[in-house]
Amino acid sequence: MGSMFRSEEMALCQLFLQSEAAYACVSELGELGLAQFRDLNPDVNIFQRKFVNEVRRCDEMERKLRYLEKEIKKDGIPMMDSGENVEAPQPREMIDLEATFERLENELREVNQNAEALKRNFLELTELKHILRRTQVFFDERVTSEIGDSIAANLIEDEVVVTRLGLKSLTAVEGLGFVAGVILRERIPAFERLLWRACRGNVFLRQAEIDNTLEDPATSDQVYKSVFIIFFQGDQLKTRVKKICEGFRATLYPCPETPNDRREMAVGVMTRIEDLNTVLSQTQDHRHRVLVAAAKNIKIWFTKVRKIKAIYHTLNLFNLDVTQKCLIAECWVPVQDLEAIHLSLRRGTVRQSYFAYLETPRWLRTIWLKVNHRYLLFNFPNILS
Protein backbone atom coordinates (compact mmCIF):
# COMPACT_ATOMS: atom_id res chain seq x y z
CA MET A 1 0.00 0.00 0.00
CA GLY A 2 1.09 3.59 -0.55
CA SER A 3 2.57 5.69 2.20
CA MET A 4 1.10 8.86 3.59
CA PHE A 5 2.82 11.01 0.96
CA ARG A 6 2.88 8.58 -1.96
CA SER A 7 -0.13 6.88 -3.51
CA GLU A 8 -0.35 3.28 -4.58
CA GLU A 9 1.06 2.46 -8.03
CA MET A 10 -1.91 2.30 -10.40
CA ALA A 11 -2.48 0.80 -13.84
CA LEU A 12 -5.03 1.79 -16.47
CA CYS A 13 -6.67 -1.43 -17.65
CA GLN A 14 -9.01 -2.27 -20.46
CA LEU A 15 -11.73 -4.76 -19.83
CA PHE A 16 -13.57 -6.79 -22.47
CA LEU A 17 -16.73 -8.57 -21.39
CA GLN A 18 -19.41 -10.55 -23.11
CA SER A 19 -22.75 -8.80 -22.72
CA GLU A 20 -24.22 -11.77 -20.87
CA ALA A 21 -21.32 -11.97 -18.42
CA ALA A 22 -20.89 -8.22 -17.85
CA TYR A 23 -23.40 -8.00 -14.99
CA ALA A 24 -21.81 -10.80 -12.97
CA CYS A 25 -18.26 -9.53 -13.55
CA VAL A 26 -19.10 -5.97 -12.52
CA SER A 27 -20.89 -7.36 -9.47
CA GLU A 28 -17.75 -9.23 -8.40
CA LEU A 29 -15.55 -6.20 -9.04
CA GLY A 30 -17.96 -4.07 -7.02
CA GLU A 31 -17.74 -6.44 -4.06
CA LEU A 32 -13.95 -6.25 -4.31
CA GLY A 33 -13.96 -2.45 -4.48
CA LEU A 34 -10.57 -2.03 -6.19
CA ALA A 35 -11.54 -0.72 -9.64
CA GLN A 36 -12.50 2.80 -10.64
CA PHE A 37 -14.17 2.90 -14.06
CA ARG A 38 -13.91 5.69 -16.61
CA ASP A 39 -16.82 7.00 -18.62
CA LEU A 40 -16.30 5.96 -22.24
CA ASN A 41 -19.53 7.68 -23.37
CA PRO A 42 -19.04 11.32 -22.31
CA ASP A 43 -20.94 12.65 -25.32
CA VAL A 44 -23.95 10.36 -24.88
CA ASN A 45 -26.93 11.70 -22.99
CA ILE A 46 -27.64 9.85 -19.75
CA PHE A 47 -31.16 9.04 -20.98
CA GLN A 48 -29.86 7.46 -24.19
CA ARG A 49 -27.51 4.89 -22.71
CA LYS A 50 -27.99 1.14 -22.99
CA PHE A 51 -29.11 0.32 -19.44
CA VAL A 52 -31.14 3.44 -18.67
CA ASN A 53 -34.39 1.43 -18.41
CA GLU A 54 -32.88 -0.85 -15.77
CA VAL A 55 -31.71 2.19 -13.77
CA ARG A 56 -35.23 3.62 -13.94
CA ARG A 57 -36.65 0.35 -12.68
CA CYS A 58 -34.25 0.52 -9.75
CA ASP A 59 -35.31 4.11 -9.04
CA GLU A 60 -38.94 2.98 -8.96
CA MET A 61 -38.11 0.15 -6.56
CA GLU A 62 -36.24 2.59 -4.32
CA ARG A 63 -39.26 4.90 -4.30
CA LYS A 64 -41.49 2.06 -3.15
CA LEU A 65 -38.99 1.05 -0.46
CA ARG A 66 -38.77 4.63 0.81
CA TYR A 67 -42.57 4.70 1.05
CA LEU A 68 -42.53 1.47 3.08
CA GLU A 69 -39.74 2.82 5.27
CA LYS A 70 -41.68 6.03 5.96
CA GLU A 71 -44.76 4.07 7.00
CA ILE A 72 -42.68 1.77 9.21
CA LYS A 73 -41.04 4.73 10.96
CA LYS A 74 -44.43 6.41 11.38
CA ASP A 75 -45.64 3.41 13.40
CA GLY A 76 -42.38 3.19 15.36
CA ILE A 77 -41.63 -0.38 14.25
CA PRO A 78 -37.94 -1.34 14.58
CA MET A 79 -36.25 -2.40 11.34
CA MET A 80 -34.02 -5.45 11.57
CA ASP A 81 -30.45 -5.03 10.35
CA SER A 82 -28.41 -8.24 10.42
CA GLY A 83 -25.30 -6.48 9.10
CA GLU A 84 -24.54 -9.25 6.62
CA ASN A 85 -23.15 -8.42 3.19
CA VAL A 86 -25.85 -9.43 0.73
CA GLU A 87 -24.76 -10.35 -2.77
CA ALA A 88 -26.21 -8.47 -5.71
CA PRO A 89 -29.22 -10.35 -7.10
CA GLN A 90 -29.22 -11.73 -10.61
CA PRO A 91 -31.02 -9.65 -13.27
CA ARG A 92 -33.87 -12.16 -13.43
CA GLU A 93 -34.52 -11.62 -9.72
CA MET A 94 -35.48 -8.00 -10.38
CA ILE A 95 -38.87 -9.19 -11.59
CA ASP A 96 -39.56 -10.96 -8.29
CA LEU A 97 -38.42 -7.92 -6.30
CA GLU A 98 -40.59 -5.60 -8.36
CA ALA A 99 -43.62 -7.84 -7.90
CA THR A 100 -43.04 -8.02 -4.13
CA PHE A 101 -42.66 -4.25 -3.76
CA GLU A 102 -45.67 -3.59 -5.98
CA ARG A 103 -47.84 -5.93 -3.92
CA LEU A 104 -46.74 -4.41 -0.62
CA GLU A 105 -47.20 -0.84 -1.82
CA ASN A 106 -50.66 -1.49 -3.25
CA GLU A 107 -51.76 -3.35 -0.13
CA LEU A 108 -50.46 -0.64 2.17
CA ARG A 109 -51.97 2.18 0.12
CA GLU A 110 -55.32 0.41 0.09
CA VAL A 111 -55.20 -0.09 3.85
CA ASN A 112 -54.25 3.56 4.35
CA GLN A 113 -57.09 4.76 2.14
CA ASN A 114 -59.61 2.60 3.98
CA ALA A 115 -58.25 3.74 7.33
CA GLU A 116 -58.42 7.40 6.28
CA ALA A 117 -62.03 7.00 5.13
CA LEU A 118 -62.93 5.29 8.40
CA LYS A 119 -61.18 8.00 10.42
CA ARG A 120 -63.01 10.68 8.47
CA ASN A 121 -66.34 9.03 9.23
CA PHE A 122 -65.32 8.61 12.85
CA LEU A 123 -64.38 12.29 13.06
CA GLU A 124 -67.72 13.35 11.59
CA LEU A 125 -69.67 11.17 14.00
CA THR A 126 -67.61 12.41 16.95
CA GLU A 127 -68.21 16.03 15.99
CA LEU A 128 -71.92 15.34 15.53
CA LYS A 129 -72.01 13.73 18.98
CA HIS A 130 -70.51 16.85 20.55
CA ILE A 131 -72.89 19.08 18.61
CA LEU A 132 -75.93 17.18 19.84
CA ARG A 133 -74.69 17.42 23.41
CA ARG A 134 -73.80 21.11 23.30
CA THR A 135 -76.86 22.26 21.38
CA GLN A 136 -79.07 20.51 23.88
CA VAL A 137 -77.43 22.64 26.56
CA PHE A 138 -77.92 25.75 24.41
CA PHE A 139 -81.59 25.04 23.90
CA ASP A 140 -82.17 24.26 27.56
CA GLU A 141 -80.66 27.54 28.68
CA ARG A 142 -82.91 30.52 29.25
CA VAL A 143 -81.64 33.86 28.13
CA THR A 144 -81.81 36.84 30.39
CA SER A 145 -83.87 39.90 29.67
CA GLU A 146 -80.76 41.94 28.73
CA ILE A 147 -79.78 39.50 26.00
CA GLY A 148 -83.39 39.40 24.84
CA ASP A 149 -83.49 43.17 24.54
CA SER A 150 -80.20 43.34 22.62
CA ILE A 151 -80.96 40.78 19.92
CA ALA A 152 -84.72 41.04 19.67
CA ALA A 153 -84.61 44.68 18.57
CA ASN A 154 -82.68 43.64 15.44
CA LEU A 155 -84.39 40.34 14.71
CA ILE A 156 -88.07 40.86 15.56
CA GLU A 157 -90.27 43.89 15.54
CA ASP A 158 -93.05 42.35 17.54
CA GLU A 159 -92.95 44.04 20.95
CA VAL A 160 -94.88 41.24 22.57
CA VAL A 161 -92.28 38.69 21.52
CA VAL A 162 -89.48 40.99 22.65
CA THR A 163 -90.87 41.21 26.17
CA ARG A 164 -91.26 37.43 26.40
CA LEU A 165 -87.89 36.49 24.87
CA GLY A 166 -86.24 36.32 28.27
CA LEU A 167 -88.70 33.64 29.33
CA LYS A 168 -88.67 31.45 26.25
CA SER A 169 -86.14 29.45 24.30
CA LEU A 170 -84.71 31.04 21.19
CA THR A 171 -86.22 28.38 18.95
CA ALA A 172 -89.66 29.28 20.23
CA VAL A 173 -89.54 32.55 18.33
CA GLU A 174 -91.52 32.19 15.12
CA GLY A 175 -89.35 32.30 11.95
CA LEU A 176 -86.03 32.07 13.81
CA GLY A 177 -83.67 29.47 12.24
CA PHE A 178 -80.28 28.17 13.25
CA VAL A 179 -77.25 26.24 11.96
CA ALA A 180 -74.81 24.21 14.04
CA GLY A 181 -71.31 23.06 13.26
CA VAL A 182 -67.69 22.65 14.30
CA ILE A 183 -64.74 24.96 13.64
CA LEU A 184 -61.08 25.09 14.61
CA ARG A 185 -60.68 26.81 17.95
CA GLU A 186 -58.12 29.37 16.75
CA ARG A 187 -60.54 30.65 14.09
CA ILE A 188 -63.32 31.52 16.52
CA PRO A 189 -62.39 35.22 17.16
CA ALA A 190 -62.18 36.10 13.46
CA PHE A 191 -65.29 34.04 12.80
CA GLU A 192 -67.28 36.01 15.36
CA ARG A 193 -66.08 39.38 14.05
CA LEU A 194 -66.94 38.58 10.44
CA LEU A 195 -70.37 37.26 11.38
CA TRP A 196 -71.13 40.42 13.34
CA ARG A 197 -69.96 42.77 10.59
CA ALA A 198 -71.36 40.87 7.58
CA CYS A 199 -74.76 40.32 9.21
CA ARG A 200 -74.78 43.75 10.93
CA GLY A 201 -75.42 42.26 14.32
CA ASN A 202 -78.56 40.39 13.24
CA VAL A 203 -77.29 36.98 14.32
CA PHE A 204 -76.70 35.41 17.69
CA LEU A 205 -73.68 33.09 18.10
CA ARG A 206 -73.09 30.61 20.89
CA GLN A 207 -69.95 28.50 21.01
CA ALA A 208 -68.40 25.97 23.37
CA GLU A 209 -65.00 24.30 23.30
CA ILE A 210 -64.60 20.56 22.82
CA ASP A 211 -62.51 19.33 25.72
CA ASN A 212 -60.77 16.45 23.94
CA THR A 213 -58.51 16.80 20.92
CA LEU A 214 -59.67 15.40 17.59
CA GLU A 215 -57.46 13.64 15.04
CA ASP A 216 -57.27 15.09 11.55
CA PRO A 217 -57.60 12.08 9.20
CA ALA A 218 -55.54 13.72 6.44
CA THR A 219 -52.48 14.71 8.53
CA SER A 220 -52.99 12.58 11.69
CA ASP A 221 -52.43 15.74 13.76
CA GLN A 222 -54.32 16.41 16.97
CA VAL A 223 -56.44 19.57 16.66
CA TYR A 224 -58.66 21.57 19.01
CA LYS A 225 -62.15 22.45 17.83
CA SER A 226 -65.22 24.23 19.11
CA VAL A 227 -68.94 23.70 18.64
CA PHE A 228 -71.04 26.68 17.56
CA ILE A 229 -74.69 27.41 16.89
CA ILE A 230 -75.88 30.50 15.04
CA PHE A 231 -79.43 31.89 15.28
CA PHE A 232 -80.76 34.08 12.50
CA GLN A 233 -83.99 35.11 10.78
CA GLY A 234 -84.67 34.97 7.06
CA ASP A 235 -83.25 33.14 4.07
CA GLN A 236 -80.91 35.97 3.16
CA LEU A 237 -79.11 35.79 6.49
CA LYS A 238 -79.09 32.01 6.27
CA THR A 239 -77.28 32.12 2.93
CA ARG A 240 -74.82 34.69 4.21
CA VAL A 241 -74.06 32.67 7.36
CA LYS A 242 -73.46 29.47 5.36
CA LYS A 243 -71.05 31.25 3.03
CA ILE A 244 -69.10 32.60 6.00
CA CYS A 245 -68.96 29.13 7.52
CA GLU A 246 -67.71 27.73 4.22
CA GLY A 247 -65.02 30.41 4.03
CA PHE A 248 -63.72 29.51 7.49
CA ARG A 249 -63.85 25.78 6.62
CA ALA A 250 -66.35 25.11 9.34
CA THR A 251 -68.26 21.83 9.13
CA LEU A 252 -72.03 22.13 9.38
CA TYR A 253 -74.18 19.25 10.64
CA PRO A 254 -77.95 18.73 10.67
CA CYS A 255 -79.41 19.26 14.09
CA PRO A 256 -83.07 18.45 14.89
CA GLU A 257 -85.14 21.10 16.55
CA THR A 258 -86.99 18.93 19.05
CA PRO A 259 -85.30 17.29 22.05
CA ASN A 260 -86.71 13.85 21.24
CA ASP A 261 -85.28 13.89 17.72
CA ARG A 262 -81.90 15.00 19.06
CA ARG A 263 -81.95 12.23 21.63
CA GLU A 264 -82.76 9.57 19.04
CA MET A 265 -80.05 10.85 16.72
CA ALA A 266 -77.51 10.81 19.57
CA VAL A 267 -78.29 7.14 20.32
CA GLY A 268 -77.82 6.22 16.66
CA VAL A 269 -74.55 8.16 16.49
CA MET A 270 -73.15 6.37 19.56
CA THR A 271 -74.00 2.98 18.03
CA ARG A 272 -72.25 3.85 14.78
CA ILE A 273 -69.19 5.12 16.68
CA GLU A 274 -68.85 1.80 18.50
CA ASP A 275 -69.05 -0.12 15.20
CA LEU A 276 -66.46 2.16 13.62
CA ASN A 277 -64.10 1.66 16.56
CA THR A 278 -64.22 -2.10 15.98
CA VAL A 279 -63.53 -1.79 12.24
CA LEU A 280 -60.75 0.74 12.82
CA SER A 281 -59.06 -1.56 15.32
CA GLN A 282 -59.09 -4.45 12.84
CA THR A 283 -57.74 -2.20 10.06
CA GLN A 284 -54.90 -0.96 12.25
CA ASP A 285 -54.00 -4.53 13.24
CA HIS A 286 -53.81 -5.59 9.59
CA ARG A 287 -51.65 -2.57 8.74
CA HIS A 288 -49.34 -3.35 11.65
CA ARG A 289 -48.90 -6.96 10.51
CA VAL A 290 -48.00 -5.84 6.97
CA LEU A 291 -45.45 -3.33 8.25
CA VAL A 292 -43.88 -5.77 10.72
CA ALA A 293 -43.37 -8.32 7.93
CA ALA A 294 -41.81 -5.65 5.69
CA ALA A 295 -39.57 -4.32 8.48
CA LYS A 296 -37.80 -7.68 8.74
CA ASN A 297 -36.43 -7.47 5.18
CA ILE A 298 -36.43 -3.81 4.22
CA LYS A 299 -32.72 -3.26 4.99
CA ILE A 300 -31.78 -6.27 2.83
CA TRP A 301 -34.08 -5.05 0.07
CA PHE A 302 -32.46 -1.62 0.12
CA THR A 303 -29.01 -3.19 -0.18
CA LYS A 304 -30.04 -5.42 -3.08
CA VAL A 305 -31.71 -2.63 -5.04
CA ARG A 306 -28.81 -0.23 -4.53
CA LYS A 307 -26.31 -2.84 -5.68
CA ILE A 308 -28.36 -3.57 -8.80
CA LYS A 309 -28.59 0.14 -9.53
CA ALA A 310 -24.84 0.63 -9.00
CA ILE A 311 -24.05 -2.24 -11.38
CA TYR A 312 -26.24 -0.89 -14.17
CA HIS A 313 -24.92 2.62 -13.58
CA THR A 314 -21.40 1.24 -14.04
CA LEU A 315 -22.43 -0.68 -17.16
CA ASN A 316 -23.67 2.60 -18.63
CA LEU A 317 -20.04 3.78 -18.52
CA PHE A 318 -19.00 0.94 -20.84
CA ASN A 319 -18.75 1.15 -24.61
CA LEU A 320 -20.26 -1.30 -27.08
CA ASP A 321 -18.14 -2.77 -29.86
CA VAL A 322 -19.26 -2.85 -33.48
CA THR A 323 -20.81 -6.31 -33.10
CA GLN A 324 -23.01 -5.19 -30.17
CA LYS A 325 -22.04 -8.40 -28.34
CA CYS A 326 -19.08 -7.19 -26.29
CA LEU A 327 -18.70 -4.43 -23.73
CA ILE A 328 -15.45 -2.50 -23.45
CA ALA A 329 -14.46 -0.68 -20.26
CA GLU A 330 -11.47 1.15 -18.86
CA CYS A 331 -10.63 1.26 -15.19
CA TRP A 332 -7.86 2.25 -12.81
CA VAL A 333 -6.68 -0.53 -10.51
CA PRO A 334 -3.79 -0.95 -8.03
CA VAL A 335 -0.92 -2.88 -9.62
CA GLN A 336 -0.41 -5.18 -6.65
CA ASP A 337 -4.12 -6.13 -6.65
CA LEU A 338 -4.27 -7.28 -10.27
CA GLU A 339 -4.36 -10.91 -9.18
CA ALA A 340 -7.37 -10.26 -6.95
CA ILE A 341 -9.12 -8.56 -9.85
CA HIS A 342 -8.36 -11.55 -12.08
CA LEU A 343 -9.92 -13.85 -9.50
CA SER A 344 -13.01 -11.63 -9.33
CA LEU A 345 -13.37 -11.78 -13.09
CA ARG A 346 -13.01 -15.54 -12.97
CA ARG A 347 -15.76 -15.83 -10.37
CA GLY A 348 -18.01 -13.63 -12.48
CA THR A 349 -17.39 -15.61 -15.67
CA VAL A 350 -17.93 -18.90 -13.89
CA ARG A 351 -21.33 -17.65 -12.76
CA GLN A 352 -22.33 -16.88 -16.34
CA SER A 353 -20.26 -19.51 -18.21
CA TYR A 354 -18.77 -16.93 -20.56
CA PHE A 355 -15.26 -15.52 -20.95
CA ALA A 356 -13.73 -12.17 -20.14
CA TYR A 357 -10.23 -10.88 -20.28
CA LEU A 358 -8.33 -7.94 -18.85
CA GLU A 359 -5.75 -6.05 -20.90
CA THR A 360 -3.14 -3.95 -19.11
CA PRO A 361 -0.76 -1.49 -20.77
CA ARG A 362 2.23 -3.52 -19.53
CA TRP A 363 4.10 -6.56 -20.82
CA LEU A 364 1.54 -9.11 -19.68
CA ARG A 365 -1.95 -9.92 -20.86
CA THR A 366 -4.11 -12.42 -18.96
CA ILE A 367 -6.92 -14.30 -20.74
CA TRP A 368 -9.56 -16.52 -19.18
CA LEU A 369 -10.88 -18.95 -21.77
CA LYS A 370 -13.42 -21.70 -21.33
CA VAL A 371 -12.22 -24.93 -23.02
CA ASN A 372 -14.03 -28.22 -22.50
CA HIS A 373 -15.75 -26.86 -19.40
CA ARG A 374 -12.36 -25.97 -17.85
CA TYR A 375 -10.90 -22.51 -17.34
CA LEU A 376 -7.31 -22.16 -18.57
CA LEU A 377 -4.96 -19.25 -17.79
CA PHE A 378 -2.68 -17.97 -20.57
CA ASN A 379 0.12 -15.46 -20.06
CA PHE A 380 2.00 -14.06 -23.06
CA PRO A 381 3.75 -10.80 -24.06
CA ASN A 382 1.49 -7.95 -25.06
CA ILE A 383 2.77 -6.90 -28.46
CA LEU A 384 0.20 -4.17 -28.77
CA SER A 385 1.50 -2.09 -25.85
Side-chain angles (χ1 to χ4, degrees):
M1 296 299 293
S3 64
M4 183 182 299
F5 302 103
R6 184 178 178 86
S7 64
E8 181 67 36
E9 184 179 358
M10 305 293 289
L12 180 60
C13 302
Q14 196 172 30
L15 187 66
F16 296 82
L17 298 173
Q18 285 284 348
S19 299
E20 293 79 1
Y23 182 93
C25 292
V26 173
S27 175
E28 292 293 337
L29 291 176
E31 296 291 345
L32 191 62
L34 293 175
Q36 181 179 0
F37 290 91
R38 299 176 61 191
D39 189 1
L40 301 184
N41 307 299
D43 299 328
V44 180
N45 190 288
I46 191 173
F47 300 105
Q48 297 175 348
R49 302 199 178 190
K50 181 176 178 60
F51 301 99
V52 63
N53 291 330
E54 286 76 5
V55 174
R56 287 176 176 173
R57 289 167 62 187
C58 293
D59 288 336
E60 181 66 15
M61 287 191 291
E62 278 190 315
R63 182 195 63 79
K64 294 175 182 177
L65 287 177
R66 287 194 298 269
Y67 173 73
L68 292 175
E69 184 183 31
K70 183 186 69 173
E71 296 297 322
I72 290 172
K73 290 182 177 179
K74 184 187 295 184
D75 283 16
I77 300 174
M79 291 176 286
M80 296 180 59
D81 187 5
S82 60
E84 61 178 341
N85 186 19
V86 184
E87 293 185 357
Q90 293 297 317
R92 60 180 177 271
E93 296 182 29
M94 285 183 61
I95 301 176
D96 297 334
L97 290 175
E98 286 176 328
T100 301
F101 301 157
E102 182 74 17
R103 177 181 57 81
L104 287 175
E105 184 191 28
N106 292 337
E107 185 176 4
L108 195 56
R109 287 190 183 278
E110 184 179 357
V111 170
N112 288 341
Q113 290 176 358
N114 294 336
E116 183 177 352
L118 291 173
K119 288 180 179 179
R120 188 177 296 109
N121 293 337
F122 181 79
L123 176 64
E124 293 175 355
L125 291 175
T126 304
E127 291 178 349
L128 181 57
K129 178 188 70 174
H130 287 289
I131 285 176
L132 294 175
R133 289 180 179 178
R134 298 294 182 177
T135 52
Q136 184 62 38
V137 176
F138 293 155
F139 287 130
D140 290 342
E141 290 179 350
R142 301 295 189 229
V143 294
T144 60
S145 59
E146 291 81 3
I147 297 178
D149 293 337
S150 63
I151 66 172
N154 294 321
L155 291 176
I156 305 167
E157 297 180 356
D158 191 352
E159 295 181 357
V160 178
V161 178
V162 171
T163 57
R164 296 179 180 177
L165 187 59
L167 302 177
K168 299 177 65 177
S169 173
L170 288 174
T171 57
V173 181
E174 184 178 359
L176 192 62
F178 69 93
V179 293
V182 175
I183 190 173
L184 290 176
R185 190 176 300 178
E186 59 267 18
R187 297 177 181 174
I188 284 291
F191 184 59
E192 289 181 346
R193 287 195 299 269
L194 186 58
L195 276 174
W196 178 263
R197 293 172 182 174
C199 300
R200 299 180 181 180
N202 293 321
V203 296
F204 179 62
L205 171 69
R206 294 294 304 274
Q207 62 91 14
E209 297 179 353
I210 299 177
D211 298 332
N212 301 326
T213 58
L214 302 176
E215 181 181 356
D216 188 351
T219 62
S220 299
D221 295 334
Q222 299 295 325
V223 294
Y224 292 92
K225 292 190 176 184
S226 297
V227 175
F228 67 86
I229 183 170
I230 305 172
F231 297 93
F232 52 83
Q233 187 179 34
D235 294 335
Q236 185 177 3
L237 280 179
K238 179 180 181 180
T239 304
R240 193 174 301 176
V241 167
K242 287 188 175 180
K243 287 184 178 179
I244 294 174
C245 294
E246 182 180 357
F248 278 86
R249 295 183 181 180
T251 307
L252 299 180
Y253 293 94
C255 183
E257 295 185 2
T258 61
N260 293 333
D261 292 341
R262 288 194 293 270
R263 193 175 300 108
E264 291 179 2
M265 180 178 285
V267 173
V269 166
M270 292 302 298
T271 304
R272 293 174 60 187
I273 287 177
E274 293 177 359
D275 296 339
L276 270 179
N277 275 327
T278 304
V279 178
L280 267 174
S281 178
Q282 295 175 355
T283 304
Q284 293 296 335
D285 291 342
H286 177 64
R287 168 188 162 88
H288 186 76
R289 287 194 299 268
V290 172
L291 293 178
V292 168
K296 296 179 181 178
N297 301 314
I298 192 166
K299 293 293 186 181
I300 297 177
W301 288 338
F302 263 119
T303 303
K304 288 183 177 181
V305 172
R306 286 167 180 168
K307 285 189 175 182
I308 296 174
K309 184 179 179 181
I311 292 172
Y312 281 117
H313 176 71
T314 303
L315 290 176
N316 278 332
L317 305 178
F318 293 8
N319 193 10
L320 283 171
D321 69 339
V322 292
T323 63
Q324 301 288 321
K325 295 182 179 179
C326 182
L327 292 174
I328 305 172
E330 291 182 1
C331 60
W332 288 98
V333 297
V335 173
Q336 71 173 13
D337 293 322
L338 283 175
E339 186 63 27
I341 293 175
H342 283 307
L343 293 177
S344 296
L345 286 175
R346 180 178 182 180
R347 288 193 297 268
T349 52
V350 167
R351 289 169 57 183
Q352 294 294 333
S353 298
Y354 282 92
F355 71 90
Y357 70 87
L358 179 72
E359 183 184 9
T360 64
R362 290 180 174 271
W363 64 275
L364 186 67
R365 189 195 320 186
T366 303
I367 296 181
W368 292 100
L369 182 63
K370 183 178 181 182
V371 180
N372 295 330
H373 303 284
R374 296 179 60 190
Y375 286 87
L376 306 179
L377 177 63
F378 298 91
N379 295 330
F380 58 93
N382 185 358
I383 61 175
L384 299 177
S385 61

